[in-house]
Amino acid sequence: MFSLIITIISIALVAALAVASVYYGGAAFSQGSAKASASTLVNAAQQIAGANTLYANDNGGTFATDIGALTPTYLSAVPSVKAELADPDTTQPGWRIGGNNVVTFDLNDDATEVADQIRLQAGQTVVDAQDADAAGTQFGVYNDATEGLVFFYKG
């Protein structure tokens, strides 16, 4: 009988600890996920920008303006991003490269936690595309009038 009471108390304590960790630690878990997604975006953009630099070295200093020109020679595959981060309403989904080796990705407008983490990692306060060009940061997020949140990386 004593063993049964000890077992029931142990199960109740474990359940209470599980509930408390979810309740009090829930914000830390979601913030960790946003940090991981932000780091994944920055890493993928670095890969694309690096591949574009190699492309420019092989093509007389001219950067590619289409990510398709980088695969499979310079990139084995285009880096993937979580589907919920991509903007479903964008006119050009996925990664884009500007002629000056600036890599952009249209974020879902609901991905504000990820955008905030990117800005935090970059030490950035940029809010629009014009400021992003003048910003001293290598990467960040700006608000575009037509596309919404846009992640950028200057290669």
Side-chain angles (χ1 to χ4, degrees):
M1 183 69 170
F2 180 74
S3 296
L4 179 62
I5 293 171
I6 295 297
T7 304
I8 291 172
I9 292 172
S10 299
I11 292 171
L13 285 174
V14 168
L17 285 172
V19 168
S21 67
V22 168
Y23 180 75
Y24 290 109
F29 294 136
S30 66
Q31 187 179 31
S33 177
K35 282 183 182 179
S37 294
S39 295
T40 300
L41 274 171
V42 172
N43 185 31
Q46 286 175 333
Q47 290 177 23
I48 294 168
N52 202 13
T53 300
L54 292 174
Y55 177 91
N57 287 340
D58 290 347
N59 292 286
T62 304
F63 289 108
T65 55
D66 179 29
I67 199 164
L70 302 177
T71 55
T73 307
Y74 303 98
L75 281 175
S76 60
V78 176
S80 61
V81 176
K82 286 183 179 180
E84 61 265 15
L85 292 180
D87 187 356
D89 301 327
T90 188
T91 55
Q92 294 179 314
W95 294 102
R96 293 189 310 273
I97 306 172
N100 52 357
N101 203 19
V102 174
V103 180
T104 60
F105 187 85
D106 290 334
L107 291 171
N108 188 330
D109 292 336
D110 294 334
T112 55
E113 286 183 23
V114 174
D116 290 343
Q117 285 300 322
I118 291 170
R119 288 182 177 126
L120 186 65
Q121 287 179 15
Q124 179 207 24
T125 57
V126 174
V127 293
D128 62 25
Q130 186 175 13
D131 290 340
D133 287 337
T137 59
Q138 187 171 17
F139 62 92
V141 176
Y142 63 85
N143 295 324
D144 185 88
T146 57
E147 299 294 342
L149 292 174
V150 177
F151 165 75
F152 73 91
Y153 181 88
K154 298 175 186 177

